[in-house]
Amino acid sequence: SEPSFPDVPDSGYGSGGDDPHWAYKYVEYAVQQNVVAGYGGGDYRPEETVNRGQMAVYIARALVAPAGEGGVPAGPAEPTFPDVTRGGEWEWGYDHVEYIAAEGVAAGYRDGKYHPEYDCTRDQMAVYMARAFGLAM
């Protein structure tokens, strides 16, 4: 099948011109499960850093896969975190942040905020994954 994103090709990526992007099969699987989508221009931007807002979207969609976006429940009327609200800058991730918070996957910082603008560090990613998917410790 045709790759979903031109910047994550199934061929022509490696030095010999015939190797797929190393993450091709994983990205395509995540697309098929309705977990990820590309940017407006059609690229995936595989080298771009993910922030905590984006990670909330990925994890929430993964928890309801393959239903994807339509399976993420609506958040409560009152926000859990003052920096992720309906009508605010991070409204696009409101339902996702609320869902993963309710599921015990992610929590806020000591200041009571979620801080969706912060980069999602590798240690945070490990916590998100372990909590979301009940990985044995």
Side-chain angles (χ1 to χ4, degrees):
S1 67
E2 197 67 26
S4 298
F5 308 106
D7 56 346
V8 185
D10 65 348
S11 64
Y13 181 76
S15 59
D18 295 324
D19 296 332
H21 186 283
W22 70 268
Y24 172 76
K25 67 182 179 179
Y26 301 102
V27 172
E28 290 298 326
Y29 179 77
V31 169
Q32 291 169 6
Q33 296 299 310
N34 296 311
V35 173
V36 300
Y39 285 86
D43 288 338
Y44 182 71
R45 302 181 192 169
E47 306 298 323
E48 192 165 297
T49 301
V50 175
N51 63 40
R52 287 172 48 89
Q54 293 165 318
M55 185 53 56
V57 171
Y58 295 149
I59 296 294
R61 289 177 182 166
L63 286 170
V64 299
E69 191 65 30
V72 177
E78 292 297 318
T80 302
F81 306 104
D83 56 339
V84 183
T85 62
R86 293 217 185 273
E89 175 185 0
W90 294 93
E91 179 177 23
W92 57 268
Y94 179 77
D95 292 335
H96 308 86
V97 169
E98 291 292 341
Y99 178 52
I100 68 168
E103 292 294 311
V105 173
Y109 282 82
R110 289 183 183 157
D111 65 1
K113 296 180 179 179
Y114 179 74
H115 288 289
E117 75 281 8
Y118 287 2
D119 288 345
C120 186
T121 60
R122 292 172 60 88
D123 56 349
Q124 290 173 341
M125 179 65 184
V127 172
Y128 276 83
M129 298 299 289
R131 288 179 180 166
F133 303 106
L135 303 177
M137 302 293 273

